[in-house]
Amino acid sequence: MWDVSVYLDADERRDAEWLKFLLDDLPAGSTERAAELDRRLGAARWPRYRQGWSSYVDDVAPLRRATVAVDNNDLTHPRVLDA
């Protein structure tokens, strides 16, 4: 049991980091580019994580249930979201 729950929202920051990892410095050729994208997706296991996270958010609605919600998209300026 606990008295307080905190929800950290960092979707924008994480999505930007994900796109950078996925798309930076890809080979010029389409076959090589596709192979590198497949390699990166496999290394990160992102699709499985993303689907699990989406299911959790849809089924549990943690943002609505949290005692405190924090927008953590800017690590230097986190802010408490209105209830």
Side-chain angles (χ1 to χ4, degrees):
M1 297 289 296
W2 56 85
D3 295 323
V4 175
S5 63
V6 177
Y7 180 87
L8 295 177
D9 175 24
D11 286 346
E12 290 176 31
R13 178 172 48 89
R14 298 302 299 159
D15 285 347
E17 291 169 358
W18 168 243
L19 287 173
K20 181 173 175 42
F21 166 77
L22 190 61
L23 301 175
D24 276 6
D25 301 320
L26 288 172
S30 59
T31 300
E32 294 84 6
R33 189 169 43 249
E36 180 60 16
L37 284 170
D38 284 345
R39 187 196 68 75
R40 291 178 188 186
L41 285 168
R45 295 177 284 190
W46 180 258
R48 182 176 65 176
Y49 167 78
R50 189 65 168 189
Q51 291 169 353
W53 177 253
S54 294
S55 293
Y56 169 66
V57 169
D58 292 344
D59 295 346
V60 177
L63 179 58
R64 280 201 329 257
R65 299 173 68 162
T67 309
V68 177
V70 177
D71 179 339
N72 202 33
N73 284 295
D74 182 349
L75 289 174
T76 61
H77 298 95
R79 62 185 182 88
V80 174
L81 299 171
D82 292 333

